[in-house]
Amino acid sequence: MHEDYFRVTSCQHTGSKYTIFTGVPLKADSYKINSGKYIVSIRCENQSLPIQPSVGQQWRVRGKRALETVLAGDYELQQHLYDAPDEMECTLPETGEALIRFIASEREFTGIGEAKARALWDAFGSGLHSILRSDTADHRERLKAVLSDSSITALYNGYGKYRNLAHANWLASFGIPLRVQQRILKYHDERTVDVLKNNPYALLGFGMSFGDIDVIAEQLGFEKSAPVRLAAALESAMRKRVEKGHTYATHQVLRPEVIKLLGEKDLVAEVFSNGYFNGQFILRPQTGTYHPTAQIIMESVVAKRLKTLATITDEDESVFKALTEAARELPYDLTEHQLEAVESSLTNGVSCITGGAGTGKTTVLRTVLKAYAALGYEIHAVALSGRAAMRLHESIGFFTMTIARMLREEPISPSLVQPKHLLVIDESSMIDLPTMYRIVTHLDPSVRIILTGDPNQLPPIGCGKVLSDIIESGAIANVELNIVKRQEGSTGIPEYSATINRGDVPPSLSFGAITFHETPPERVVDKCKTLYAESAHNTQIIGATKALVGELNLECQRLINPGGQRLEFKLHGDDFFIDLRVGDPILFTRNNYTVGIQNGSLGVLSSADRAFQGDQETFGVVTLDTGEEIDITEDVFDCMELGYAITLHKAQGSQFPRIIVVVQKGRISDRAWLYTAITRAEAEIHIVGQVSDFEVITKAESHANRRASFLRELLTERKRDSGVV
């Protein structure tokens, strides 16, 4: 075993799995270089790092090393190469010269050079560390003797990055991945190590698997029967069900999963007993179902709010007058069914307007909202995606926004100036339970709600199936529009999708604006990129799997945008890049309500130019399909992907002028998948694949029917309690 202390001088590679960085040797616990005749290099997996390496940091490494000769200009240097070392730690310099050098060279300490760093040490000596560990008004006042306000802020920001180094090194020693370290340190800060020593299974909530945590727990001396372990096994088993969309589970489903996690049967009874008394779930003896506490609370709150709204009815003369006036302005007469839907939405505190493509939902909604506006209501209309919000605005003529934006703004509540409010939620089939919970708790109880959508589409990505449960309960007013009205010049999409929704294969696979391209699997990618290139500016490819989508994105980029300016940036003095180019469509894969993006947001990389906004460096701009511009910061790098092709879950809720749908038999491809994909098109559809796959998918019953949720029962129970049933 060998050991080296060194100062980082170069970060040669930072990939998705591996990192390579190099430095010059130091004397132990010093800033002084041992020798100019050798360098220290480390190659390691990212998960073994306690912190992201950057130029100027001090590190200690221990493990097996190889000696190599490298060229440095005209000189030959010996390299101490550590490949997957046993120990690595980043150390915050404690001595004067080392700390001065560190602050002066580390980029995080913006605007503080060697002279200011030395002045700090001269003024405070070793007491500087205690000042920097706590950002208080008194400490800032003391620092003003040496630094400006902006430099003080930079000093605290830079020091904050390294404040938890000891904790980070401890976490890394147990093989906890860097991404998990960052999350748990942000949440628990200086208490992190103590928290994990008491309960390592707290890592479950930060992205680690039960099996990986089990290894750490054993190293920390936890028994197999430790209560925290048993609780974590149950939590992990229930979380697995929630991740599949369910809001509850049965004992028959949970028991085998718990046994698998624990590796034995003897502790199972204790797991469920402890879980019950610790409030991990609510047990319904009459059904034998286990309800995770978070999910049953959300379902109960949503049910209570909706049922309270359902008691509000309004059938006075002014309502019907507003209805008549709104209908009179239409260039055609509403059908009897459409009039029923308008009346239902106007006279109930909460209501649903449902139906497939071409059934007139938009016409009904536009009429309803005109009547509500005439009655003095302020209209708030939201959709899950930016593109859907824009389309909704074009359809109804009222201001619209994304749900993410609404949740960032002040809660909707009555005032003396505006006492009456209405919220419209479009594409409600996509709304999962957590989102619906956030929506209803963001509204004053008096705010009316109209939900529109198509319950035959794919269920939401998250748990629950809110719209389906609401409709099936019968507790909420709903009018389903089910007659597709054939119009002159129609694309044929409504008729085509309605046929698929019934489980029937259309008699003609190419019909109206729909073209079926019989294509063998090995030719699918080539066919799709060729079709995309024919009208790249208004086309979206939709695929069933991430692997296919990834391949399509790379091939389309090579064809459509081979020479675009790449997104490049300097970080800690080193060059990095992401293979995204100006002009590329961009997909965001994570919610970040602070900057205004959510999982599934689409846009175009419109700039790759670096800039500064105050102390914040940006590396380019993405223009969303809403027209909003998102500055690219370090926080958004890891949730940006190419968006030439996307999975259907990312496309759900949006519509595109022209789509290319790839049909492939597989676990997720069913009738609801195909129906939802086809209804994403506004004007033109190209279906690529084999006829045999298309027929199998069309006849496959929707997986949504297998999703277990409890909102329907709660709404029904409340309905019975109220004496309605």
Side-chain angles (χ1 to χ4, degrees):
M1 288 290 188
H2 295 86
E3 187 174 71
D4 273 299
Y5 288 81
F6 66 101
R7 178 170 57 82
V8 179
T9 56
S10 174
C11 298
Q12 297 167 312
H13 174 73
T14 301
S16 59
K17 293 183 178 180
Y18 297 96
T19 293
I20 303 172
F21 59 109
T22 301
V24 293
L26 304 172
K27 290 183 178 180
D29 303 318
S30 172
Y31 76 99
K32 295 181 180 178
I33 298 175
N34 279 333
S35 170
K37 296 182 180 179
Y38 75 92
I39 58 175
V40 181
S41 292
I42 293 180
R43 292 198 299 236
C44 63
E45 291 185 356
N46 291 342
Q47 66 178 24
S48 64
L49 290 168
I51 192 172
Q52 197 66 46
S54 65
V55 174
Q57 293 173 346
Q58 282 188 190
W59 284 71
R60 179 185 71 83
V61 59
R62 187 170 182 272
K64 294 181 180 179
R65 77 182 180 197
L67 302 181
E68 298 181 354
T69 300
V70 296
L71 293 176
D74 297 330
Y75 298 94
E76 287 188 352
L77 287 175
Q78 188 183 67
Q79 176 176 244
H80 292 187
L81 175 62
Y82 292 84
D83 200 346
D86 295 325
E87 297 177 21
M88 291 184 293
E89 65 173 0
C90 181
T91 60
L92 186 64
E94 294 289 337
T95 61
E97 286 299 325
L99 188 61
I100 291 167
R101 187 182 185 110
F102 176 74
I103 292 174
S105 61
E106 173 57 59
R107 177 163 178 83
E108 299 292 332
F109 300 97
T110 307
I112 305 175
E114 185 173 343
K116 289 183 180 178
R118 191 171 297 280
L120 282 169
W121 185 261
D122 291 342
F124 304 105
S126 59
L128 180 61
H129 286 285
S130 63
I131 291 174
L132 295 181
R133 287 191 188 102
S134 179
D135 186 355
T136 66
D138 179 60
H139 287 168
R140 282 182 172 261
E141 191 62 34
R142 293 179 64 187
L143 290 169
K144 283 183 180 180
V146 180
L147 300 175
S148 65
D149 287 341
S150 60
S151 293
I152 292 171
T153 298
L155 182 63
Y156 274 113
N157 289 342
Y159 194 88
K161 178 179 176 180
Y162 297 96
R163 183 177 59 193
N164 288 321
L165 272 180
H167 297 156
N169 290 322
W170 185 88
L171 294 171
S173 70
F174 286 98
I176 298 172
L178 182 59
R179 57 181 174 77
V180 177
Q181 294 178 37
Q182 292 169 337
R183 292 171 188 165
I184 197 168
L185 283 168
K186 185 176 181 179
Y187 188 81
H188 288 297
D189 199 39
E190 295 181 351
R191 299 182 297 112
T192 297
V193 173
D194 289 337
V195 167
L196 295 185
K197 284 181 176 178
N198 290 324
N199 180 14
Y201 296 95
L203 288 164
L204 200 64
F206 296 92
M208 283 193 73
S209 70
F210 180 88
D212 289 339
I213 301 171
D214 234 9
V215 174
I216 297 170
E218 187 176 2
Q219 292 175 329
L220 292 172
F222 281 79
E223 300 289 335
K224 296 291 186 183
S225 59
V228 292
R229 182 172 184 260
L230 303 186
L234 181 58
E235 181 183 348
S236 183
M238 291 194 297
R239 183 172 292 185
K240 186 175 180 180
R241 299 301 294 170
V242 171
E243 288 172 352
K244 290 184 176 181
H246 309 290
T247 65
Y248 69 86
T250 63
H251 189 271
Q252 289 78 7
V253 169
L254 289 176
R255 188 174 186 275
E257 186 65 26
V258 170
I259 293 172
K260 181 181 176 182
L261 292 169
L262 295 178
E264 56 184 298
K265 298 180 181 180
D266 295 344
L267 295 170
V268 172
E270 191 176 349
V271 166
F272 285 98
S273 176
N274 290 354
Y276 178 77
F277 287 107
N278 293 334
Q280 284 184 272
F281 60 83
I282 302 296
L283 175 63
R284 291 181 60 85
Q286 62 270 43
T287 57
T289 51
Y290 294 78
H291 300 254
T293 304
Q295 276 65 43
I296 192 64
I297 288 174
M298 287 189 287
E299 286 181 316
S300 298
V301 169
V302 171
K304 183 178 180 181
R305 181 63 65 87
L306 292 178
K307 204 65 187 99
T308 300
L309 277 173
T311 63
I312 301 173
T313 57
D314 194 357
E315 298 183 359
D316 63 33
E317 187 177 337
S318 62
V319 171
F320 291 101
K321 182 180 178 182
L323 188 162
T324 303
E325 290 296 323
R328 188 179 295 156
E329 293 179 15
L330 294 171
Y332 47 82
D333 293 334
L334 295 173
T335 67
E336 185 177 344
H337 213 38
Q338 288 175 324
L339 276 170
E340 182 188 348
V342 174
E343 184 177 336
S344 173
S345 297
L346 278 171
T347 56
N348 289 282
V350 57
S351 61
C352 303
I353 305 169
T354 60
T359 56
K361 294 195 302 294
T362 299
T363 300
V364 169
L365 183 60
R366 189 162 52 237
T367 307
V368 168
L369 296 187
K370 283 184 179 180
Y372 264 114
L375 290 167
Y377 281 81
E378 182 173 343
I379 310 298
H380 309 265
V382 297
L384 204 56
S385 72
R387 186 180 291 269
M390 286 176 57
R391 181 169 53 84
L392 181 61
H393 169 70
E394 293 166 358
S395 300
I396 64 175
F398 290 90
F399 177 76
T400 61
M401 68 177 79
T402 62
I403 292 172
R405 178 177 171 182
M406 181 193 73
L407 294 174
R408 293 200 311 270
E409 298 188 347
E410 290 296 315
I412 301 172
S413 58
S415 65
L416 291 174
V417 178
Q418 182 51 262
K420 298 192 290 188
H421 295 263
L422 169 71
L423 176 68
V424 177
I425 308 173
D426 195 33
E427 296 278 7
S428 299
S429 63
M430 291 184 60
I431 306 299
D432 60 20
L433 175 62
T435 303
M436 192 64 187
Y437 172 80
R438 292 188 67 190
I439 290 172
V440 300
T441 54
H442 194 74
L443 309 176
D444 184 87
S446 66
V447 178
R448 293 191 172 202
I449 298 175
I450 296 177
L451 299 104
T452 72
D454 184 353
N456 294 308
Q457 291 185 7
L458 279 184
I461 298 174
C463 65
K465 46 185 178 73
V466 174
L467 183 63
S468 290
D469 280 350
I470 288 172
I471 294 168
E472 291 172 13
S473 75
I476 305 300
N478 172 54
V479 177
E480 182 182 1
L481 305 171
N482 54 19
I483 299 175
V484 175
K485 301 188 73 171
R486 183 80 166 110
Q487 297 177 346
E488 188 177 349
S490 170
T491 60
I493 296 172
E495 297 89 340
Y496 200 91
S497 60
T499 303
I500 289 171
N501 190 42
R502 294 193 299 269
D504 298 328
V505 177
S508 178
L509 295 186
S510 293
F511 173 73
I514 304 155
T515 305
F516 192 98
H517 303 266
E518 173 76 28
T519 310
E522 66 273 13
R523 296 289 302 160
V524 163
V525 172
D526 285 341
K527 185 65 178 179
C528 286
K529 71 179 184 182
T530 301
L531 287 168
Y532 187 96
E534 290 175 2
S535 187
H537 68 283
N538 68 348
T539 300
Q540 183 65 62
I541 304 174
I542 297 173
T545 66
K546 290 182 179 179
L548 175 63
V549 163
E551 187 179 356
L552 283 165
N553 273 318
L554 291 176
E555 290 298 320
C556 285
Q557 186 192 53
R558 289 172 186 154
L559 179 65
I560 305 298
N561 192 22
Q565 180 188 353
R566 278 193 317 185
L567 188 61
E568 298 187 15
F569 56 98
K570 283 187 178 291
L571 195 60
H572 306 302
D574 291 298
D575 292 320
F576 292 79
F577 72 89
I578 299 176
D579 200 13
L580 303 175
R581 303 170 184 177
V582 173
D584 281 340
I586 299 296
L587 169 73
F588 290 98
T589 59
R590 194 178 65 237
N591 294 332
N592 189 325
Y593 296 123
T594 304
V595 300
I597 59 173
Q598 61 193 59
N599 191 353
S601 292
L602 290 164
V604 175
L605 182 61
S606 51
S607 167
D609 298 327
R610 294 171 63 197
F612 281 91
Q613 296 186 1
D615 294 333
Q616 179 77 57
E617 187 174 15
T618 62
F619 306 99
V621 174
V622 174
T623 302
L624 297 179
D625 50 18
T626 59
E628 295 177 86
E629 293 187 341
I630 302 297
D631 293 314
I632 302 172
T633 63
E634 291 182 44
D635 290 340
V636 260
F637 278 140
D638 62 350
C639 67
M640 292 171 57
E641 295 180 358
L642 289 172
Y644 294 93
I646 58 179
T647 63
L648 180 56
H649 273 121
K650 303 298 186 187
Q652 206 173 348
S654 297
Q655 282 194 303
F656 309 90
R658 180 176 183 262
I659 66 168
I660 301 167
V661 180
V662 184
V663 292
Q664 290 179 309
K665 284 191 300 185
R667 183 178 57 84
I668 66 170
S669 298
D670 61 12
R671 185 189 309 162
W673 186 94
L674 183 57
Y675 172 80
T676 307
I678 287 172
T679 55
R680 297 311 88 206
E682 294 173 351
E684 184 179 341
I685 301 174
H686 293 269
I687 303 172
V688 179
Q690 295 179 295
V691 173
S692 57
D693 285 357
F694 184 90
E695 291 174 346
V696 168
I697 294 169
T698 300
K699 295 173 182 178
E701 188 177 350
S702 172
H703 299 315
N705 298 327
R706 306 170 196 168
R707 182 173 287 200
S709 60
F710 201 62
L711 180 61
R712 181 186 66 180
E713 282 75 6
L714 285 171
L715 287 166
T716 304
E717 285 179 358
R718 294 181 183 279
K719 182 178 176 181
R720 293 193 187 104
D721 293 342
S722 68
V724 178
V725 170

Coordinates of all heavy atoms in Angstrom, one line a residue, residues 428-429 431 454-460 464-474 704-705 709 711-712 715:
S428 N -56.4 16.2 -17.8 CA -56.4 15.8 -16.4 C -56.0 14.3 -16.2 O -55.7 13.9 -15.1 CB -57.7 16.1 -15.7 OG -58.0 17.4 -15.7
S429 N -56.1 13.5 -17.3 CA -55.7 12.1 -17.2 C -54.3 12.0 -16.8 O -53.9 10.9 -16.3 CB -56.0 11.4 -18.5 OG -55.2 11.9 -19.6
I431 N -52.7 13.9 -14.6 CA -52.4 14.4 -13.2 C -52.3 13.2 -12.3 O -53.3 12.5 -12.1 CB -53.5 15.3 -12.8 CG1 -53.7 16.5 -13.8 CG2 -53.2 15.9 -11.4 CD1 -52.5 17.3 -14.0
D454 N -59.2 12.9 -21.2 CA -59.6 11.6 -21.8 C -59.1 10.5 -21.0 O -57.9 10.1 -21.0 CB -58.9 11.5 -23.2 CG -59.4 10.3 -24.0 OD1 -60.1 9.5 -23.5 OD2 -59.0 10.2 -25.2
P455 N -60.0 9.8 -20.2 CA -59.6 8.8 -19.3 C -59.0 7.5 -20.0 O -58.5 6.6 -19.3 CB -60.9 8.5 -18.6 CG -62.0 8.9 -19.5 CD -61.5 10.1 -20.2
N456 N -59.2 7.4 -21.3 CA -58.7 6.3 -22.0 C -57.2 6.4 -22.4 O -56.6 5.5 -22.9 CB -59.5 6.1 -23.3 CG -60.9 5.7 -23.0 OD1 -61.2 4.8 -22.3 ND2 -61.9 6.4 -23.6
Q457 N -56.6 7.6 -22.1 CA -55.2 7.7 -22.4 C -54.4 7.0 -21.3 O -54.9 6.5 -20.4 CB -54.8 9.2 -22.5 CG -55.4 9.9 -23.7 CD -55.0 11.4 -23.8 OE1 -54.1 11.8 -23.1 NE2 -55.5 12.1 -24.7
L458 N -53.0 7.0 -21.5 CA -52.1 6.5 -20.5 C -52.4 7.1 -19.2 O -52.7 8.3 -19.1 CB -50.7 6.7 -20.9 CG -50.0 5.8 -22.0 CD1 -48.6 6.2 -22.1 CD2 -50.1 4.4 -21.6
P459 N -52.2 6.3 -18.1 CA -52.3 6.8 -16.8 C -51.1 7.7 -16.5 O -50.1 7.7 -17.3 CB -52.3 5.6 -15.9 CG -51.5 4.6 -16.7 CD -51.9 4.8 -18.1
P460 N -51.1 8.5 -15.4 CA -50.0 9.4 -15.1 C -48.7 8.7 -14.9 O -48.7 7.5 -14.6 CB -50.5 10.1 -13.9 CG -51.8 9.8 -13.6 CD -52.2 8.6 -14.4
G464 N -51.2 6.8 -8.7 CA -52.6 7.2 -8.7 C -53.2 7.3 -10.1 O -52.4 7.2 -11.1
K465 N -54.5 7.4 -10.3 CA -55.2 7.6 -11.5 C -56.4 8.5 -11.2 O -57.5 8.1 -11.2 CB -55.5 6.3 -12.2 CG -56.2 5.3 -11.4 CD -56.4 4.0 -12.2 CE -57.0 2.9 -11.4 NZ -58.4 3.1 -11.0
V466 N -56.1 9.8 -11.0 CA -57.0 10.7 -10.4 C -58.3 10.8 -11.2 O -59.4 10.7 -10.7 CB -56.4 12.1 -10.1 CG1 -57.4 13.1 -9.7 CG2 -55.2 12.0 -9.1
L467 N -58.1 11.2 -12.5 CA -59.3 11.4 -13.3 C -60.2 10.2 -13.4 O -61.4 10.2 -13.3 CB -58.9 11.9 -14.7 CG -60.1 12.2 -15.7 CD1 -60.9 13.4 -15.1 CD2 -59.6 12.6 -17.1
S468 N -59.6 9.0 -13.7 CA -60.3 7.8 -13.8 C -61.1 7.5 -12.5 O -62.3 7.1 -12.5 CB -59.4 6.6 -14.1 OG -58.9 6.7 -15.4
D469 N -60.4 7.7 -11.4 CA -61.1 7.4 -10.1 C -62.3 8.4 -9.8 O -63.3 8.0 -9.3 CB -60.1 7.6 -8.9 CG -59.2 6.3 -8.8 OD1 -59.5 5.3 -9.4 OD2 -58.2 6.4 -8.0
I470 N -62.1 9.6 -10.2 CA -63.2 10.6 -10.0 C -64.4 10.2 -10.9 O -65.5 10.2 -10.4 CB -62.7 12.0 -10.4 CG1 -61.7 12.6 -9.4 CG2 -63.8 13.0 -10.6 CD1 -61.0 13.9 -9.8
I471 N -64.1 9.8 -12.1 CA -65.2 9.5 -13.0 C -65.9 8.2 -12.5 O -67.2 8.1 -12.5 CB -64.7 9.3 -14.5 CG1 -64.2 10.6 -15.0 CG2 -65.8 8.7 -15.4 CD1 -63.4 10.5 -16.3
E472 N -65.1 7.2 -12.2 CA -65.7 5.9 -11.8 C -66.4 6.0 -10.5 O -67.4 5.2 -10.2 CB -64.6 4.9 -11.7 CG -64.0 4.5 -13.0 CD -62.8 3.6 -12.9 OE1 -62.5 3.1 -11.8 OE2 -62.0 3.4 -13.9
S473 N -66.1 6.9 -9.6 CA -66.8 7.1 -8.3 C -68.2 7.5 -8.4 O -69.1 7.1 -7.6 CB -66.0 8.1 -7.4 OG -66.2 9.4 -7.8
G474 N -68.5 8.3 -9.5 CA -69.8 8.8 -9.6 C -70.2 9.9 -8.7 O -71.3 10.5 -8.6
A704 N -53.4 0.3 -17.5 CA -53.9 1.2 -16.5 C -55.0 0.5 -15.6 O -55.2 0.8 -14.5 CB -54.5 2.4 -17.1
N705 N -55.6 -0.5 -16.2 CA -56.7 -1.2 -15.5 C -56.1 -2.0 -14.3 O -56.9 -2.4 -13.4 CB -57.5 -2.1 -16.4 CG -58.2 -1.3 -17.5 OD1 -58.6 -0.2 -17.3 ND2 -58.3 -1.9 -18.7
S709 N -55.6 2.0 -6.9 CA -55.7 3.3 -6.2 C -56.9 3.3 -5.4 O -57.9 2.6 -5.6 CB -55.7 4.4 -7.3 OG -56.8 4.3 -8.1
L711 N -58.6 6.4 -4.3 CA -59.4 7.7 -4.4 C -60.9 7.4 -4.7 O -61.8 8.0 -4.1 CB -58.8 8.6 -5.4 CG -59.5 10.0 -5.5 CD1 -59.5 10.7 -4.2 CD2 -58.8 10.8 -6.6
R712 N -61.1 6.5 -5.6 CA -62.5 6.2 -6.0 C -63.3 5.7 -4.8 O -64.4 6.2 -4.5 CB -62.5 5.1 -7.1 CG -64.0 4.7 -7.5 CD -64.0 3.6 -8.5 NE -63.5 2.4 -7.8 CZ -63.4 1.2 -8.4 NH1 -63.7 1.1 -9.7 NH2 -63.0 0.1 -7.7
L715 N -64.0 8.6 -2.4 CA -65.1 9.5 -2.9 C -66.5 8.8 -2.7 O -67.4 9.4 -2.4 CB -64.8 9.8 -4.4 CG -63.7 10.8 -4.6 CD1 -63.3 10.8 -6.1 CD2 -64.1 12.2 -4.2

